[in-house]
Amino acid sequence: MEMRVLVFNGEPYCDGDRQDKLVKRTLEAIEKSGVTIEASELSVDRGSAMFLISGDSVAIRRLWSIVEATGLENAWEAFGSRLDWQTFEMSR
């Protein structure tokens, strides 16, 4: 089981309605891929959105394929946010 963090960082106090639509699209992509969402958070200033997901490597790759195929990453970039996609590891 792998865990990944998707973080979209941009300018604070951005267009909330547009961002809400992007968050919804991201949650739909996560659901379609078969990974499990462990946590999600939108910062108070709405400058970042974080999604912590887990799943097997096939589901993780499927999520990335969905993100690319649907133009979701480009939509976030057009919104002014950049994607940070990294492996999540618990520290001891």
Side-chain angles (χ1 to χ4, degrees):
M1 181 82 54
E2 294 182 46
M3 293 186 81
R4 296 287 176 104
V5 179
L6 285 81
V7 179
F8 297 94
N9 288 307
E11 295 295 319
Y13 305 109
C14 29
D15 181 348
D17 291 335
R18 188 172 168 201
Q19 187 180 49
D20 289 344
K21 289 177 186 172
L22 288 170
V23 167
K24 183 180 177 191
R25 284 182 60 196
T26 304
L27 291 172
E28 288 169 352
I30 289 168
E31 184 178 332
K32 286 179 185 176
S33 71
V35 298
T36 302
I37 187 158
E38 301 291 341
S40 64
E41 184 174 330
L42 186 60
S43 66
V44 173
D45 68 1
R46 297 183 73 91
S48 67
M50 182 274 303
F51 305 90
L52 175 62
I53 52 112
S54 66
D56 61 26
S57 58
V58 172
I60 299 282
R61 284 192 304 273
R62 187 179 311 119
L63 174 58
W64 185 247
S65 294
I66 292 169
V67 167
E68 288 184 321
T70 62
L72 189 55
E73 181 178 12
N74 293 336
W76 275 101
E77 287 175 355
F79 179 65
S81 294
R82 62 178 162 58
L83 170 64
D84 183 15
W85 170 265
Q86 55 187 280
T87 302
F88 177 81
E89 295 180 18
M90 299 287 286
S91 58
R92 294 178 187 215

